[in-house]
Amino acid sequence: MKIGVLSIQGAVSEHLQRLKDCSVEAVTVKDPASLSSVSGLIIPGGESTTIGKLIELAGLKGPITELSKSGNLAIFGTCAGMVLMARQVIDGVEKQPKLELMDIQVKRNAFGRQKESFETELNFKPFEQTLTGVFIRSPLVREAGEGVEIMAAIPEGIVAARQGNLLATSFHPELTNDTRIHQYFVDMCRNIKEVKKIKV
Ligand code: GLN
C-alpha cells in the first residue's frame, strides 16, 4: 500500500518521514498521475490559499474530489489541509480555494496574534494517552455536520474531526516524533485498499 503526500508547499518531508516511521511506502504527489497508485493522501500545513491555487493549477482538484467521493482515497489534512477540506471557511481570502470535502465550517488563523503558535496536550478520542498538539497559525472547527465525528477538542474549540475516509487536524502531528495519528490514518487507508479489492 502506498500513501501520498501532496508535495506542493509546506511540511512535506516531515509527513513523508512519519509515514516511513509507520513502515508504509510514502510517495510525493504533484500531479494526477501520481494519485492513481495511492490509497491515501496527506494534505500538509502551509498556506491554504497558495496550496489551493497550486492544486487547481496542477489539475489535481477534480481527481482528488472524485477519488475521495467514490471511496477510493482516504485524505488527511493538517492545518492548511484542514482549511482546504472544509465546506465553509471563515476569514478566508476572497475566492478562498477549497476542496469542500468535509461537512465542517472552519475559522482560519483562529487563535489571534499572541497565540499564533503554541503547544498543548490534548486527547485524541481513540487514544488512551494524551498527545502534544503543535499549533501554528491554526484553524478551529466552528461547526460540524451530523456525519462528522469530533476526534479532539481543546477549550478554544474543535481541533480534530473525522468524516468517513476524511480526517483533519488543526495541529501538526508530523512535527513531533509521535506516530500515533499517522498510524491511525494508515489504518484508515488499509480499509480503502479493501474497498478497491472488492471493486476489482
Ligand atoms: N494559517 C494557515 C492557513 O490558513 C495555515 C497555517 C498552517 O498550516 N500551519 O492557511
Side-chain angles (χ1 to χ4, degrees):
M1 181 179 74
K2 285 187 199 167
I3 298 184
V5 178
L6 184 72
S7 303
I8 285 180
Q9 191 226 21
V12 175
S13 56
E14 292 86 348
H15 276 297
L16 290 168
Q17 185 56 50
R18 289 299 153 260
L19 289 171
K20 285 175 195 156
D21 295 345
C22 296
S23 307
V24 168
E25 192 178 342
V27 297
T28 57
V29 168
K30 289 187 175 136
D31 50 38
S34 44
L35 254 189
S36 56
S37 64
V38 300
S39 301
L41 179 70
I42 294 181
I43 305 179
E47 201 55 52
S48 58
T49 47
T50 307
I51 298 176
K53 278 182 201 149
L54 294 173
I55 284 176
E56 283 173 18
L57 274 176
L60 279 163
K61 186 175 175 181
I64 290 175
T65 314
E66 279 156 35
L67 285 167
S68 164
K69 294 207 163 134
S70 62
N72 285 303
L73 185 71
I75 302 180
F76 174 23
T78 55
C79 204
M82 172 191 258
V83 176
L84 282 158
M85 289 167 81
R87 175 179 54 78
Q88 206 186 346
V89 178
I90 302 171
D91 292 344
V93 296
E94 202 186 329
K95 294 197 182 152
Q96 171 86 20
K98 281 181 287 178
L99 295 169
E100 294 178 76
L101 297 170
M102 276 182 96
D103 190 10
I104 52 175
Q105 182 201 68
V106 305
K107 183 173 163 61
R108 275 184 86 201
N109 303 326
F111 292 92
R113 274 177 174 261
Q114 73 281 25
K115 281 183 84 181
E116 275 178 351
S117 303
F118 62 99
E119 288 184 18
T120 190
E121 288 298 297
L122 57 90
N123 285 300
F124 186 76
K125 206 173 168 187
F127 303 158
E128 278 176 18
Q129 310 282 333
T130 60
L131 60 84
T132 306
V134 179
F135 293 79
I136 304 169
R137 298 181 58 232
S138 291
L140 271 176
V141 177
R142 280 289 187 80
E143 279 174 30
E146 266 181 22
V148 179
E149 193 179 355
I150 309 303
M151 306 302 283
I154 60 174
E156 289 86 348
I158 300 164
V159 294
R162 177 172 176 180
Q163 182 177 7
N165 296 324
L166 306 166
L167 177 68
T169 62
S170 305
F171 53 94
H172 291 265
E174 76 284 6
L175 297 184
T176 69
N177 291 326
D178 188 339
T179 56
R180 282 177 295 166
I181 292 202
H182 284 80
Q183 188 59 57
Y184 179 81
F185 180 62
V186 169
D187 293 341
M188 284 171 61
C189 295
R190 290 200 202 285
N191 286 332
I192 293 285
K193 213 175 159 204
E194 292 310 312
V195 173
K196 272 189 182 166
K197 268 190 211 151
I198 292 162
K199 278 191 179 159
V200 173

